[in-house]
Amino acid sequence: MMTKLAPSPFLSIRGLRKSYGSLEALRGINLDLAPGEFLCLFGPNGAGKSTLLKIIATLLRPSSGKIRILDDDLENNPQEYRARLGMVSHQSFVYQDLTLLENLEFYAALYGVKDPRQRSLELLEQVNLADHYEMLAGNLSRGMQQRLTIARALLNDPELLLLDEPYTGLDEHAARVLRGQLQWLHDQQRTIIMVTHNLRRGMEAATRMGILVRGKLVYLQQKENIDPASFEELYFQKLEAV
Ligand code: ADP
């Protein structure tokens, strides 16, 4: 009998665990993402969502487990692995007293991007900040800061984008702009993992939904198999079941 081979995943996580002293923040995460998938992760405070994103982003070391992006193993090819990803987190990593362009040029040079100025201007254009390139980052509104942070995360043209609560502190207009930008990235076939408390924003953007509770992925489903009207109910059921 012919066996059909499943396409190899873009991101593969196996048996991932993380302890902070005696606290087990992640208790065995297994996850495969196909290229271009957009996973939205939900979960209560303290579930381990930020820990998971930080480990994938190499900002934190796991206690055990394996992570691979295509052929690049986090342990064996950390540099190649890192070059494939970008992260948008609560920390903006933006220098308040540098202009928008200076901020991006600084990081572009740091990442070894070719022609830092050209690339930085291109990205400011993409996130609709080109008109403000000479403005000091410290004078930006929260929504504009967020766009600059996204531009910074995209400097190395990452295939995998990690977003930790990107909607926090954004007003409806800024949230709409961010939504458009995420849609654009998704259309560019980037693979995306986003952590958010905003069920509505998560639902509209993602192709797959996951729920993390007390360090375990208790639910993972393709969005087309989910009834949006009952997802909130399902979310609370999952919280209570653990
Ligand atoms: P979430 O992002 O879902 O709110 P976190 O990943 O921030 O969850 O935290 C998961 C658990 O790990 C929580 O109980 C939190 O208190 C704990 N934790 C997170 N970071 C640290 C740390 N640096 N030292 C000790 N405990 C931590």
Side-chain angles (χ1 to χ4, degrees), residues 18 36-37 82 87 94 98 102 127 191 200 203 222:
K18 175 70 185 176
E37 269 200 284
R82 223 170 271 136
M87 167 106 167
V94 160
L98 292 185
E102 285 166 347
V127 298
T191 307
R200 179 172 67 89
M203 252 329 216
Q222 299 292 341

Side-chain angles (χ1 to χ4, degrees), residues 20 23 25 44-51:
Y20 296 107
L23 181 108
N45 290 335
K49 305 180 298 296
S50 291
T51 298

Side-chain angles (χ1 to χ4, degrees), residues 27-40:
R27 300 187 293 151
I29 303 288
N30 297 305
L31 174 67
D32 280 342
L33 284 187
E37 269 200 284
F38 190 150
L39 170 69
C40 196

Side-chain angles (χ1 to χ4, degrees), residues 1 6 8 11 30 34 44 50 55 58 60-61 63 89 94 111 120 137 144 147 151 175 186-187 191 205 209 236 242:
M1 197 175 77
S8 57
L11 173 75
N30 297 305
S50 291
I55 291 176
T58 77
L60 202 62
R61 284 173 69 87
S63 302
S89 71
V94 160
Y111 295 152
S120 300
M144 289 161 101
R147 272 141 69 193
H186 180 52
D187 292 344
T191 307
M209 314 285 271
F236 288 112
V242 177

Side-chain angles (χ1 to χ4, degrees), residues 24-138:
E24 283 189 285
L26 295 177
R27 300 187 293 151
I29 303 288
N30 297 305
L31 174 67
D32 280 342
L33 284 187
E37 269 200 284
F38 190 150
L39 170 69
C40 196
L41 262 186
F42 297 95
N45 290 335
K49 305 180 298 296
S50 291
T51 298
L52 177 59
L53 282 197
K54 281 185 198 154
I55 291 176
I56 300 172
T58 77
L59 299 173
L60 202 62
R61 284 173 69 87
S63 302
S64 60
K66 293 241 171 280
I67 310 186
R68 212 161 34 77
I69 299 180
L70 297 174
D71 290 333
D72 294 321
D73 192 290
L74 174 56
E75 247 169 90
N76 302 324
N77 323 47
Q79 233 156 337
E80 291 82 352
Y81 172 102
R82 223 170 271 136
R84 294 181 182 274
L85 63 88
M87 167 106 167
V88 175
S89 71
H90 308 281
Q91 277 174 290
S92 67
F93 300 106
V94 160
Y95 292 99
Q96 307 290 313
D97 49 0
L98 292 185
T99 68
L100 276 56
L101 183 59
E102 285 166 347
N103 260 288
L104 292 188
E105 280 188 298
F106 169 77
Y107 282 108
L110 196 70
Y111 295 152
V113 168
K114 255 191 276 161
D115 202 345
R117 171 157 295 222
Q118 179 59 30
R119 179 72 183 142
S120 300
L121 287 169
E122 213 175 274
L123 278 163
L124 286 174
E125 192 78 46
Q126 266 175 33
V127 298
N128 297 325
L129 286 175
D131 291 347
H132 307 282
Y133 75 98
E134 281 184 316
M135 199 167 159
L136 291 182

Side-chain angles (χ1 to χ4, degrees), residues 172-231:
E172 264 309 300
H173 172 68
R176 254 183 94 124
V177 173
L178 173 61
R179 160 80 184 111
Q181 251 134 27
L182 293 181
Q183 183 61 51
W184 181 82
L185 288 165
H186 180 52
D187 292 344
Q188 308 282 305
Q189 285 297 302
R190 310 295 166 112
T191 307
I192 302 174
I193 304 180
M194 176 167 80
V195 163
T196 179
H197 279 118
N198 192 323
L199 287 182
R200 179 172 67 89
R201 290 289 175 192
M203 252 329 216
E204 66 185 9
T207 58
R208 206 164 172 202
M209 314 285 271
I211 300 176
L212 192 72
V213 185
R214 293 221 251 134
K216 287 204 161 181
L217 209 43
V218 296
Y219 178 85
L220 196 59
Q221 184 60 267
Q222 299 292 341
K223 194 174 73 182
E224 68 242 33
N225 300 328
I226 301 173
D227 168 20
S230 58
F231 185 74

